[in-house]
Amino acid sequence: MALGRKGFQIVVGARRLDRLKRVAGEEGIAIALDVTDKKSIEAFVREVSKRFGRIDVLVNNAGGALGLAPIEKASDEDWIGMWKVNVLGLMWMTRACLPLLRKAKHGHVVNIGSIAGFETYKGGAGYTAAKHAVRAITRTLRLELNGEPIRVTEIAPGLVETEFSVVRFHGDRKAAKAVYEGLKPLSAEDIADCVVFAVTRPPHVDIDEIVVRPVAQATAQVVARKTTKGRS
Ligand code: 8X3
């Protein structure tokens, strides 16, 4: 709700309405949204249109990784899942929100990408390909909106401790925890800070990209971990 503290009226959309309401707090509005379902997107955007008639900032945050299998053993289900949420969902939301972004004095699309948008690693092809696509879509959108007062920003984080790894490892919490062991990962708040920074620049300033990693992470897989407990 970092943008809420800056005076923005927040509307949050996600599948789990109970959790969403907690995220939205008293000031924010929570509306159920599944970005992989066009009907759900239509209903969400219709509701926002009815209540506010415009969108100043669209943050495309939905995304995630499924599995770490090499291409030889890639699961169709995981790949389709990743492409649906990271790529199609982002395009569907952007396409559906553009008419309302055009109604704002200054519109802004913020896409949450990843360092996987320009790095690759073994077993990561489904996710890195999807995040490379997010990067390509973001850059294309900037070209297509050139001349309009709509800014386009990609935020590309490295390791952020959220449910990301629990989802990637299909619920294996031990494997997920190991991803963040021996270092201080970024938090959701660190990414929210980046969003706030990009969004609160003067309207003529477009922050194209912010790449943000924990200091212990040089690349997706080169990570300095401390083994002594309590020293990370
Ligand atoms: C995830 C980034 O560092 O876990 O988007 O590969 S990383």
Side-chain angles (χ1 to χ4, degrees):
M1 290 303 94
L3 279 177
R5 288 194 291 276
K6 294 282 173 191
F8 285 83
Q9 168 64 62
I10 304 291
V11 180
V12 279
R15 286 170 305 176
R16 292 170 294 184
L17 203 53
D18 278 359
R19 290 181 56 148
L20 200 59
K21 283 185 177 152
R22 281 203 298 277
V23 172
E26 301 213 334
E27 312 278 302
I29 295 169
I31 303 176
L33 170 66
D34 177 354
V35 300
T36 66
D37 174 353
K38 280 201 264 186
K39 287 214 173 336
S40 169
I41 292 176
E42 270 168 35
F44 179 89
V45 175
R46 208 178 312 119
E47 187 61 28
V48 173
S49 176
K50 205 166 72 191
R51 290 194 197 207
F52 303 106
R54 69 168 212 271
I55 294 174
D56 296 296
V57 182
L58 166 66
V59 181
N60 281 313
N61 180 55
L66 291 170
L68 255 180
I71 292 167
E72 195 181 10
K73 298 200 168 122
S75 142
D76 287 358
E77 205 185 320
D78 283 354
W79 275 61
I80 291 166
M82 283 187 278
W83 277 75
K84 266 189 142 178
V85 68
N86 291 287
V87 184
L88 280 171
L90 180 137
M91 179 277 279
W92 284 337
M93 275 304 288
T94 307
R95 189 174 65 188
C97 291
L98 263 176
L100 291 180
L101 283 157
R102 289 198 161 108
K103 297 236 165 86
K105 197 164 166 213
H106 306 285
H108 199 155
V109 179
V110 180
N111 289 337
I112 307 299
S114 167
I115 58 170
F118 51 87
E119 294 188 18
T120 54
Y121 50 91
K122 287 182 186 172
Y127 181 62
T128 56
K131 287 300 192 185
H132 275 66
V134 169
R135 188 169 162 80
I137 294 165
T138 308
R139 295 175 140 212
T140 306
L141 191 64
R142 194 174 298 116
L143 291 173
E144 291 174 355
L145 296 180
N146 183 236
E148 296 188 57
I150 302 179
R151 303 186 288 188
V152 183
T153 298
E154 179 182 351
I155 299 183
L159 285 163
V160 186
E161 190 163 13
T162 59
E163 284 185 339
F164 176 87
S165 293
V166 178
V167 174
R168 162 165 266 175
F169 293 113
H170 300 289
D172 180 345
R173 290 192 177 267
K174 208 167 150 219
K177 198 162 166 264
V179 174
Y180 310 108
E181 252 160 27
L183 81 149
K184 187 171 170 60
L186 300 177
S187 66
E189 288 71 29
D190 294 323
I191 309 310
D193 265 357
C194 296
V195 176
V196 168
F197 177 77
V199 166
T200 54
R201 292 314 86 207
H204 69 289
V205 179
D206 181 38
I207 304 293
D208 278 8
E209 298 173 3
I210 299 178
V211 179
V212 53
R213 313 170 194 254
V215 70
Q217 184 182 34
T219 72
Q221 294 210 306
V222 176
V223 178
R225 297 182 195 273
K226 291 190 172 136
T227 46
T228 320
K229 277 201 171 153
R231 293 195 56 216
S232 63

